[in-house]
Amino acid sequence: IFQHLLWGGFYKAKYHEVVAQRLGKFEGPFREILARTFGPDLTERLIALLKSADRKALETMVPILRWRLWKFRGLPDLRGSIRRLLGFVAAEIRITWSKSGRWIVLIGPDGVGKTTIASKLGLETRYFFRDFRYHHWIPPVTYNLLKEVPPSGMMLERPKRNVDVFSIAISGMRVLRNVLRSWLGYVLRILPNLYRQRLVAGDRYLFNYVLDPGSVRYFGPEWLARLAITLAPKPDLVIRLSAPAARVHERKQELSLEEIATFEARADRLAGWFPNIATVSSDASAAETVSKVATLIIHTLTDPPCEKRG
């Protein structure tokens, strides 16, 4: 708690509830730690501010807390203080290079709930990741990932066109270009956020070349789309949201039942050869679905992703 205050000078809102609960169980030992670290005269005041979650008052006290820490712990044990500081820096470096963030991608037909689930994931996983970021389609190169999920728009009607040799060639070149863009977006945007222990959620990604090629103007063979996905950076986990076709059609009436069935058949083929795809039913409430998705993501922090985990 005080590491965040002393290091950055702010008291994160996500700790308010947790601290109040822990104080009820360990208030005695915590008082002793505060007295040794900051002096007995500040102990009661700090306890009261933490219980009331008075963020502004705690942040105002940061300068005196830093001085008291140096006075009561730093100078009397200078060698130990330097050792602890170096250990802290080494631990931060280890945590950073362990890439403790996670990059997940949500797939599923329009109306299955991808935007809704993505918008709730940051709050659901706030105790496991430092922050949340979002991207739609390919990770951007020229701007940062989004901090919030934008609302889902209406699905545009796809124009009908004749597929000829020229359109196949152009869409094939576009696929190869987007593989390069995905690598640039990964290196410049995704990877820095993973090193900062953030959760990054993507919508569709290059999987739409197989799942819904018309939406990305792809008219080439499926084997080329699969090759592009194989060559592109891989997310840590792919969440396939699934619901009965009638329910999806009810949510997104622009999609016919036949289009939904075609999408699901392609998703079955994708799951047959691409690793790290987990299927989650979105037929339940949004709260239940996001809880299941969050559980799968958190499990990847300690367990290797399991192929076709359900």
Side-chain angles (χ1 to χ4, degrees):
I1 297 164
F2 287 101
Q3 174 182 309
H4 283 279
L5 276 170
L6 298 172
W7 188 265
F10 56 89
Y11 183 41
K12 289 187 176 181
K14 69 178 185 179
Y15 293 123
H16 295 177
E17 181 181 348
V18 177
V19 170
Q21 293 174 352
R22 296 292 177 86
L23 278 178
K25 298 178 180 179
F26 307 105
E27 187 169 335
F30 190 59
R31 286 176 182 274
E32 296 177 7
I33 293 173
L34 291 182
R36 291 198 308 269
T37 306
F38 303 111
D41 57 319
L42 289 183
T43 300
E44 294 301 325
R45 184 180 178 189
L46 289 173
I47 290 286
L49 293 179
L50 289 170
K51 284 184 175 180
S52 61
D54 193 338
R55 178 180 58 83
K56 291 185 177 180
L58 281 167
E59 292 174 356
T60 302
M61 291 184 66
V62 166
I64 190 173
L65 291 176
R66 287 174 176 160
W67 163 242
R68 289 294 188 92
L69 180 66
W70 180 247
K71 177 182 177 181
F72 286 96
R73 298 296 299 276
L75 287 176
D77 183 19
L78 187 57
R79 181 178 297 179
S81 297
I82 294 174
R83 185 175 65 251
R84 285 189 294 271
L85 176 61
L86 293 177
F88 168 76
V89 172
E92 286 294 305
I93 292 174
R94 285 196 303 271
I95 292 172
T96 298
W97 284 105
S98 69
K99 204 180 72 172
S100 297
R102 282 296 178 271
W103 176 29
I104 68 122
V105 169
L106 299 169
I107 61 174
D110 289 322
V112 81
K114 295 187 299 295
T115 302
T116 301
I117 300 307
S119 65
K120 297 177 182 296
L121 270 178
L123 184 63
E124 188 73 17
T125 60
R126 64 191 183 280
Y127 296 124
F128 297 91
F129 299 99
R130 288 187 173 179
D131 211 341
F132 173 81
R133 292 293 185 271
Y134 173 83
H135 72 87
H136 182 85
W137 184 222
I138 300 172
V141 176
T142 57
Y143 57 90
N144 292 324
L145 301 180
L146 301 176
K147 295 183 178 181
E148 296 182 354
V149 180
S152 177
M154 293 294 292
M155 187 182 71
L156 299 177
E157 183 178 356
R158 299 183 181 90
K160 303 293 184 181
R161 61 171 296 175
N162 295 323
V163 179
D164 51 27
V165 175
F166 179 76
S167 63
I168 293 174
I170 291 297
S171 61
M173 289 188 288
R174 192 183 298 117
V175 166
L176 298 178
R177 179 203 65 184
N178 284 341
V179 170
L180 177 60
R181 283 182 56 198
S182 68
W183 271 108
L184 289 174
Y186 178 76
V187 172
L188 296 176
R189 304 301 173 192
I190 300 290
L191 201 56
N193 282 285
L194 300 185
Y195 282 133
R196 291 180 173 89
Q197 292 100 56
R198 288 171 175 159
L199 173 63
V200 178
D203 188 342
R204 295 176 174 85
Y205 189 44
L206 295 182
F207 299 109
N208 250 28
Y209 278 126
V210 171
L211 299 174
D212 194 5
S215 67
V216 289
R217 296 180 298 159
Y218 178 67
F219 308 102
E222 186 175 294
W223 66 262
L224 181 59
R226 290 191 177 193
L227 177 62
I229 294 172
T230 302
L231 295 176
K234 309 293 190 302
D236 297 298
L237 185 65
V238 179
I239 302 291
R240 176 189 175 186
L241 295 176
S242 180
R247 175 64 66 87
V248 175
H249 177 67
E250 181 182 338
R251 297 173 182 170
K252 188 71 69 171
Q253 296 184 4
E254 300 93 329
L255 280 177
S256 67
L257 293 174
E258 182 180 357
E259 288 174 317
I260 297 169
T262 300
F263 185 100
E264 294 295 351
R266 290 169 176 165
D268 289 337
R269 294 202 302 272
L270 181 68
W273 65 271
F274 189 83
N276 303 340
I277 293 184
T279 300
V280 175
S281 172
S282 62
D283 198 28
S285 67
E288 292 179 76
T289 304
V290 76
S291 177
K292 292 178 182 178
V293 172
T295 300
L296 283 171
I297 296 170
I298 293 164
H299 281 172
T300 68
L301 293 171
T302 53
D303 302 328
C306 178
E307 184 176 353
K308 291 186 284 185
R309 182 184 354 226

